[in-house]
Structures are given as structure tokens and as C-alpha cells.
């Protein structure tokens, strides 16, 4: 959207108006406010110059280079932490701007004086999608020397991954190698973000007070009206809305094998379609957003931990100002299906387990497998130790909220939100295992209650221009947001073409929303559908193979301005990206570097978006 060209009459020359509009498109609300104040100050200074050129006073806002807060965020946590720091510096009267990494003008880096980076880690040490371009530039050969720069980095991550806050570590080390100087140490925040982020911000504020002079509050500057005013949402992660379950329907089932004996194969996967009522909440969402779920750990998961420790679930445990039975701490307040490095360190010490201590050493190749393969109860059984209830609660990290892509459009379903989720159940280490949130949701009956909130995903949106074509790649439950995309495009009468790549294990049991896609094809709302059912033939076929088979047309759509979206597992996202590189390289004359630049450009333009997990 062009703010200037589309919404405001202007006395500017068309070229100047276009340049200003392009600048505005790359800025968020805070940066727009800063820029508007800067321009207002220049205008006032110019007016004073015309009236009395010998008495011109410097404009404080324009004269002082602001600090820059740069964030890269996949699920919104890094953005919130960056905006909190921005608010604190602004309240202290310090000049500062906050920018998302993909809106940051790379050329500015060589002249930055004070830079704060707040970045989350995606998967095993990767940057979030909105920071890919900035990260590639900073880690690449074109990054400038930065002897003038002072900086600090706050990393947000999940210690259930071996490369905890990996991208934050890389950026911190790279900036130092380029000659920049740290104002304070790298912050590494786990899921309980504020225990690290808040003290890190306090130090950042103290350092900024020393490095920046407070901007005077000139009484003569024009008042500024926010271009995009924002209000705090009524419902949030800290104050979720209690939604009612309308539908809990299994989408997958048994494979019908024999008509003669009415035989069915074993259930391959349990994928649910869940519809939730949001009536009266005032919650708004766009297709591409996620719904946060506040879940209770299923009873079998809690019982497994109690059995492994021999503790009594009725034991009252005081912790952080609350006193609850141990079983309630485990059910609603503590993470039981994802291990973390701090807990494993406490377990190794308590169990005097040298083999576990060795796994925690830097460079260990076995830690990632342990974190991916073991739930809490598995680790407690493998390394028995003498626990008391209070020590166990203190050692475990707080329960992490789960996010699910919303599978609907409010224009179609009204005050509802639909979800598509894979219910996790498997056997490992001789014991049954359950997914925490998916098991909880699967167990909800109609009229059941669940606490929810909306987590916006501004980078994963249908094109604002309805005439643009879209390519959607979503195997398994990764198809969820694209159901919302299709509803939105149909309801708004978008004229652009829609192409879906979908994959599952089996056609008979895994073709999610099959009748809806067939109906969309019949109505010509969905124009192309390519399917990959990996285990219905000897050679496994996945969506990336289908992409390669249709490479010429995929490249043609992208060249014609199509938007491309990928949703699903991180490993799948990497395979799809590799396939796209091959496709672009095959049709651009074989230039691999140009193919990588082409996809990077699409990402910067918002035409290649991923929601991978």
C-alpha cells in the first residue's frame, strides 16, 4: 500500500511523492512517528530561516542521531521485547527508532552509532524469516567494518534445541569481528523470556543514557498525529479469552482394505479439525495469523512424571508466590514434553550422571538427539535421582504456549476460529507418549472450554492486491493457513489465480479437506492443485518433487508477480527452498548465485513468506 499516493492529497511533485511513499512503506509505526517529527522540525526550521535567518536555532530531534533497535521475530516475542525497549528509551527522552530487520536499510549500518538487536532463533540456529536478508548480509563478505558502532544483542530461543539462541550468538560474534564494541553482554533468553530480557533492557537503558543525550522537548514543534495508532489488545497471552468448542472432528481415519471382510488398516495419523467460538471476545485475526492455546498437560503425561519420581501429586508446593499441589504445577504450570539444557544440568548433578554431564559439554553430538527423543519422564527414568517436590518444580521451566495456524477467514466464518492439528501419540523407550497441547485439544468435547489469544503474523498475509497470483505449499497440517487464504480470496472476489501444493502419506486417509478443495476447483476459486502422497507408491514422492516437475510454470508465475507461501515443518521448508533454488537456476541460465538473489529479493519484497516450525 502506498500511504501517500493512496490516502493523502499532496502538493509534492509526483517523483518526490513517490519517493516519500516508498520510504513510508518500509517503516513501522514508531519509525513513521520519528520521521514525521524530523520533517516537522525541518519545516519549522525552514520557516524560521525565511523570517529571521540570523537567529536559526538547531532542531534537537534532527540534530541527534537516534539509536536503532532492530528485531527479527517469527512468532512475535522478539518484536514485543524490541518494542518494550523502544518504549523505555522513548520515555527516558532518548532518540530511538525501532525497525523490523527486513525493513532496515542495509546502507545505514555503516553509519550507525548505537544498535540493539533483538532476534529469535528459528529451529536449530537459523534466523527468523524476516531477518534472513539482514543476517546473510552481515555474515557475508559485503558487510562493512564497523569501528564506530556500539551494540548489544538479545537472543530469544528455546533451550530444548541444542543450538540455543544460535543466530544471536553468530550475530554478536560477527559484529565484534567487524570492529564494533559491545555496550553489554549478549543476552540469551529461554521461554521464560522476561527473566533475561528485562535485566538486559535495564542495562541497555542505563548504557543509552550515557551514550545519548536526552532530546529536548521543543515547545515550538508541530504536534504529530500517529499514522497507524495502535491500542493494546483486550486479550493476550497473559489474559487469554475462554473460547467454546463448537466442533472437534477427525479428518483422518482408517484405510478401507477389503470389502469382503470389511477390514480396515490401523489408524495412521489423527488429524483434527476444531472450530472455536469467539463470540463476544472482540478478537480479530487475519488469515495467516496463529491462535495461541493455553493447555493443560494430559493426565497420562503428569502421571508418568509422578511415577518416575515417586512423588505424591497432592504435596503442596510453594513457588514464586503461589502454593499449589504438585500435580497442578505439573498439569498447568510446567513444561513436561520438552527438555531444556538447564533442567538436564540439574538432573546430571542430582543423579551424579557423568554420561549426561558429557552430553552437555560444548560440541557434544548427542545432545540434539536427546532433546528431540526424550520427554521429561524418559529422562527421569534414564537417570534416577532423589527429588523432592519443591526442587522438581523449581528445576522445571514454565509451560510454553503452543501456536496453531488459523485455518479460516473471519469473512467466511464470522466470530469463529478454525484449527487443524496433528494429535501426537507414539511409543518410545518402552512407554506411550502424548503431545501436550494436541492431546489436550483432542480431548475437548463440544461445549468444552479453552483459553486462547491471537498471535499476529504480519509477514504471512494474502496479497493486498487481489489480482496477484498465489502459490501455496502446505503438506500435512501445513495446509491450515491456506484454507483461510482460499476463504479470504473467495470472499473478497480476488481475481488472481490460486495454486496449491499439498502432500500427505496416503491419499485415502491423509487428504485433508479433500471435498473443500474439489469444490474450490469446481468453482474455479482454486485453479491448480498438485498432490504428493509419499507412501502410496514404492518411491516416496514429496511436495518438493511436484514443485520440480512443475518448475517451468512455477518460475513463470513468480516472474509474473505471484506471491509464494510455505507452511509446515522446518525440514520440509528447507527442502522446498532447495527445490526453488534449483527451479530458478534451471530457468535463469544456470546462475546459482542469481537464483539465490532472486529468492532473497522475493523475501524482502514480501512475495516469498514461510511459516515453518
Amino acid at each position: 500500500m502506498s500511504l501517500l499516493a493512496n490516502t493523502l492529497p499532496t502538493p509534492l511533485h509526483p517523483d518526490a511523492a513517490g519517493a516519500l511513499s516508498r520510504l513510508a512503506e518500509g517503516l513501522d509505526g514508531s519509525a513513521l512517528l520519528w520521521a514525521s517529527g524530523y520533517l516537522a522540525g525541518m519545516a519549522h526550521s525552514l520557516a524560521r530561516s525565511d523570517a529571521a535567518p540570523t537567529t536559526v536555532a538547531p532542531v534537537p530531534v534532527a540534530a541527534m542521531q537516534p539509536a536503532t533497535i532492530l528485531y527479527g521475530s517469527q512468532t512475535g516475542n522478539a518484536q514485543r521485547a524490541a518494542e518494550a525497549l523502544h518504549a523505555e528509551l522513548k520515555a527516558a527522552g532518548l532518540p530511538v527508532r525501532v525497525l523490523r530487520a527486513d525493513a532496515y536499510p542495509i546502507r545505514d549500518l555503516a553509519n550507525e552509532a548505537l544498535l540493539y538487536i533483538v532476534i529469535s532463533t528459528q529451529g536449530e540456529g537459523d534466523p527468523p524469516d524476516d531477518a534472513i536478508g539482514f543476517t546473510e548480509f552481515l555474515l557475508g563478505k559485503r558487510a562493512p567494518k564497523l569501528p564506530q558502532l556500539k551494540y548489544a544483542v538479545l537472543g530469544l530461543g528455546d533451550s530444548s534445541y541444542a543450538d540455543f539462541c544460535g543466530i544471536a550468538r553468530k550475530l554478536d560474534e560477527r559484529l565484534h569481528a567487524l570492529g564494533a564494541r559491545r555496550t553489554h553482554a549478549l543476552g540469551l533468553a529461554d521461554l521464560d523470556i522476561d527473566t533475561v530480557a528485562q535485566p538486559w533492557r535495564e542495562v541497555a537503558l542505563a548504557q543509552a543514557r550515557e551514550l545519548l543525550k536526552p532530546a529536548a522537548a521543543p515547545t515550538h514543534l508541530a504536534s504529530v498525529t500517529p499514522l497507524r495508532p495502535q491500542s493494546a489488545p483486550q486479550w493476550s497471552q497473559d489474559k487469554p479469552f475462554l473460547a467454546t468448542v463448537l466442533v472437534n472432528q477427525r479428518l483422518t481415519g482408517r484405510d478401507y482394505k477389503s470389502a469382503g471382510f470389511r477390514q480396515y488398516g490401523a489408524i495412521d495419523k489423527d488429524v483434527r479439525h476444531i472450530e472455536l467460538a469467539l463470540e463476544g471476545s472482540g478478537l480479530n485475526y487475519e488469515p495467516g495469523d496463529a491462535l495461541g492455546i493455553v493447555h493443560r498437560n494430559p493426565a497420562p503425561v503428569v502421571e508418568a512424571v509422578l511415577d518416575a519420581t515417586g512423588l505424591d501429586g497432592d504435596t503442596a508446593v510453594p513457588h514464586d508466590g503461589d502454593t499449589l499441589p504438585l500435580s497442578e504445577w505439573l498439569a498447568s504450570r510446567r513444561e513436561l514434553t520438552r527438555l531444556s539444557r538447564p533442567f538436564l544440568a540439574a538432573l546430571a548433578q542430582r543423579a551424579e550422571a557423568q554420561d549426561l554431564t558429557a552430553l552437555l559439554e560444548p560440541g557434544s553430538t548427542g545432545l540434539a538427539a536427546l532433546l528431540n527423543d526424550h520427554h521429561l519422564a524418559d529422562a527421569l527414568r534414564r537417570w534416577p535421582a532423589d527429588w523432592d517436590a519443591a526442587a522438581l518444580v523449581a528445576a522445571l521451566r514454565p509451560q510454553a504456549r503452543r501456536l496453531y495456524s488459523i485455518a479460516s477467514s473471519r469473512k467466511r466464518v464470522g466470530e469463529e476460529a478454525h484449527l487443524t492439528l496433528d494429535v501426537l501419540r507414539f511409543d518410545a523407550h518402552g512407554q506411550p507418549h502424548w503431545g501436550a497441547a494436541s492431546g489436550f485439544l483432542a480431548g475437548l468435547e463440544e461445549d468444552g472450554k479453552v483459553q486462547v489469544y491471537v498471535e499476529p503474523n504480519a509477514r504471512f498475509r494474502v496479497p493486498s492486491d487481489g489480482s496477484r497470483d498465489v502459490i501455496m505449499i502446505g503438506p500435512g497440517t501445513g495446509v491450515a493457513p491456506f484454507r483461510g487464504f482460499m476463504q479470504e480470496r473467495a470472499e473478497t472476489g480476488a481475481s488472481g489465480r490460486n495454486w496449491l501444493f499439498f502432500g500427505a502419506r496416503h491419499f485415502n486417509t491423509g487428504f485433508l479437506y479433500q471435498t473443500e478443495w474439489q469444490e474450490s476447483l469446481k468453482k474455479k476459486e482454486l485453479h491448480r492443485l498438485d498432490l504428493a502422497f509419499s507412501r502410496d507408491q514404492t518411491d516416496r514422492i514429496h511436495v518438493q518433487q511436484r514443485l520440480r516437475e512443475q518448475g517451468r510454470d512455477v518460475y513463470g508465475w513468480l516472474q509474473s508477480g505471484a506471491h509464494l507461501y510455505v507452511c509446515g515443518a522446518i525440514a520440509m521448508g528447507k527442502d522446498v527452498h532447495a527445490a526453488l533454488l534449483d527451479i530458478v537456476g534451471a530457468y535463469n541460465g544456470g546462475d546459482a548465485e542469481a537464483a539465490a538473489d532472486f529468492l532473497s529479493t522475493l523475501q524482502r519484497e514480501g512475495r516469498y513468506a514461510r511459516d515453518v516450525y
Side-chain angles (χ1 to χ4, degrees), residues 191-408:
L191 297 181
D192 47 345
I193 295 169
D194 279 343
T195 59
V196 172
Q198 183 172 342
W200 185 92
R201 292 199 309 267
E202 290 172 356
V203 176
L205 175 58
Q207 293 286 352
R209 288 182 188 275
E210 295 294 324
L211 297 170
L212 300 170
K213 295 179 180 179
T219 58
H220 54 270
L221 288 183
S223 61
V224 178
T225 300
L227 297 180
R228 290 177 285 182
Q230 297 179 346
S231 58
Q234 180 180 1
W235 307 105
S236 65
Q237 178 172 333
D238 297 326
K239 186 185 176 184
F241 173 74
L242 193 63
T244 301
V245 178
L246 299 173
V247 173
N248 186 342
Q249 176 185 355
R250 178 175 283 147
L251 293 178
T252 52
R254 299 178 184 272
D255 191 8
Y256 192 62
K257 299 180 68 175
S258 170
F261 296 96
R262 294 185 178 179
Q263 293 179 346
Y264 293 83
I267 294 177
D268 185 29
K269 293 177 76 67
D270 181 1
V271 177
R272 301 296 181 96
H273 171 78
I274 294 179
E275 299 180 4
L276 301 173
L278 303 180
E279 186 175 359
S281 68
L283 282 173
N284 292 309
Y285 66 84
E286 297 291 333
D289 289 344
L291 200 68
I293 298 294
V294 182
H295 69 278
R296 289 181 64 86
N297 289 314
V301 178
V302 174
E303 289 299 325
V305 174
L306 293 174
D307 289 344
T309 57
L311 296 172
D312 183 353
D314 292 331
T315 302
V317 180
H319 184 77
D320 280 349
D322 289 330
T323 298
L324 300 170
L326 174 60
S327 58
E328 184 61 25
W329 279 110
L330 297 178
S332 64
R333 301 288 189 92
R334 287 298 180 262
E335 187 61 49
L336 305 187
T337 59
R338 297 177 180 176
L339 290 172
S340 67
R341 185 190 291 264
F343 173 78
L344 290 175
L347 177 60
Q349 182 178 15
R350 187 171 286 265
E352 298 181 352
Q354 295 183 358
D355 57 337
L356 179 54
T357 300
L359 286 174
L360 296 171
E361 293 294 329
S364 169
T365 58
L367 179 60
L370 172 65
L371 293 170
N372 291 331
D373 185 52
H374 285 56
H375 284 186
L376 173 63
D378 299 321
L380 292 170
R381 294 189 197 101
R382 183 171 173 180
W383 292 285
D386 184 16
W387 289 95
D388 61 84
L392 181 64
V393 169
L396 295 174
R397 64 178 178 170
Q399 186 184 70
R401 303 290 188 247
R402 269 53 167 186
L403 299 176
Y404 291 94
S405 296
I406 297 175
S408 55

Side-chain angles (χ1 to χ4, degrees), residues 30-307:
S30 299
L32 284 165
L33 288 174
W34 182 89
S36 63
Y38 178 92
L39 294 173
M42 290 183 66
H44 186 86
S45 178
L46 183 60
R48 287 176 58 89
S49 177
D50 291 341
T54 60
T55 59
V56 173
V59 179
V61 172
M64 187 172 299
Q65 182 176 1
T68 295
I69 303 170
L70 193 65
Y71 68 85
S73 187
Q74 196 72 26
T75 62
N77 287 327
Q79 178 179 352
R80 283 187 286 272
E83 290 173 345
L85 176 61
H86 176 257
E88 291 165 359
L89 267 63
K90 289 287 287 184
L94 301 172
V96 60
R97 60 175 181 167
V98 60
L99 294 169
R100 197 172 66 190
D102 58 358
Y104 179 69
I106 291 294
R107 62 183 179 275
D108 287 4
L109 184 60
N111 299 313
E112 291 283 4
L114 180 58
L115 176 67
Y116 297 108
I117 295 178
V118 183
I119 189 166
S120 63
T121 295
Q122 176 76 354
E124 290 290 356
D126 294 328
D129 282 3
D130 58 10
I132 289 175
F134 175 79
T135 300
E136 289 178 345
F137 173 80
L138 191 64
L139 299 180
K141 296 179 180 179
R142 296 175 180 173
K145 295 296 182 182
L146 301 169
Q148 84 293 343
L149 179 65
K150 295 181 177 66
Y151 76 97
V153 177
L154 173 63
L156 276 57
D158 182 343
S159 60
S160 65
Y161 289 88
D163 194 3
F164 173 53
C165 288
I167 193 60
R169 296 176 190 271
K170 291 177 184 175
L171 295 183
D172 179 72
E173 293 169 0
R174 178 59 169 164
L175 287 169
H176 187 260
L178 292 171
R181 291 165 288 170
R182 297 181 182 93
T183 62
H184 58 288
L186 168 68
L188 302 175
D190 204 345
L191 297 181
D192 47 345
I193 295 169
D194 279 343
T195 59
V196 172
Q198 183 172 342
W200 185 92
R201 292 199 309 267
E202 290 172 356
V203 176
L205 175 58
Q207 293 286 352
R209 288 182 188 275
E210 295 294 324
L211 297 170
L212 300 170
K213 295 179 180 179
T219 58
H220 54 270
L221 288 183
S223 61
V224 178
T225 300
L227 297 180
R228 290 177 285 182
Q230 297 179 346
S231 58
Q234 180 180 1
W235 307 105
S236 65
Q237 178 172 333
D238 297 326
K239 186 185 176 184
F241 173 74
L242 193 63
T244 301
V245 178
L246 299 173
V247 173
N248 186 342
Q249 176 185 355
R250 178 175 283 147
L251 293 178
T252 52
R254 299 178 184 272
D255 191 8
Y256 192 62
K257 299 180 68 175
S258 170
F261 296 96
R262 294 185 178 179
Q263 293 179 346
Y264 293 83
I267 294 177
D268 185 29
K269 293 177 76 67
D270 181 1
V271 177
R272 301 296 181 96
H273 171 78
I274 294 179
E275 299 180 4
L276 301 173
L278 303 180
E279 186 175 359
S281 68
L283 282 173
N284 292 309
Y285 66 84
E286 297 291 333
D289 289 344
L291 200 68
I293 298 294
V294 182
H295 69 278
R296 289 181 64 86
N297 289 314
V301 178
V302 174
E303 289 299 325
V305 174
L306 293 174
D307 289 344

Side-chain angles (χ1 to χ4, degrees), residues 425-475:
R425 295 192 186 98
F426 62 97
D427 291 328
H429 314 294
Q431 300 289 334
H433 290 64
W434 294 266
S438 66
F440 166 74
L441 289 169
L444 293 173
E445 298 180 354
E446 292 184 10
D447 295 325
K449 303 292 185 180
V450 57
Q451 297 180 82
V452 303
Y453 60 95
V454 172
E455 188 65 65
N457 187 355
R459 284 181 51 81
F460 208 79
R461 294 275 193 268
V462 295
S464 57
D465 180 355
S467 67
R468 291 293 186 106
D469 298 332
V470 299
I471 302 172
M472 301 165 285
I473 305 165

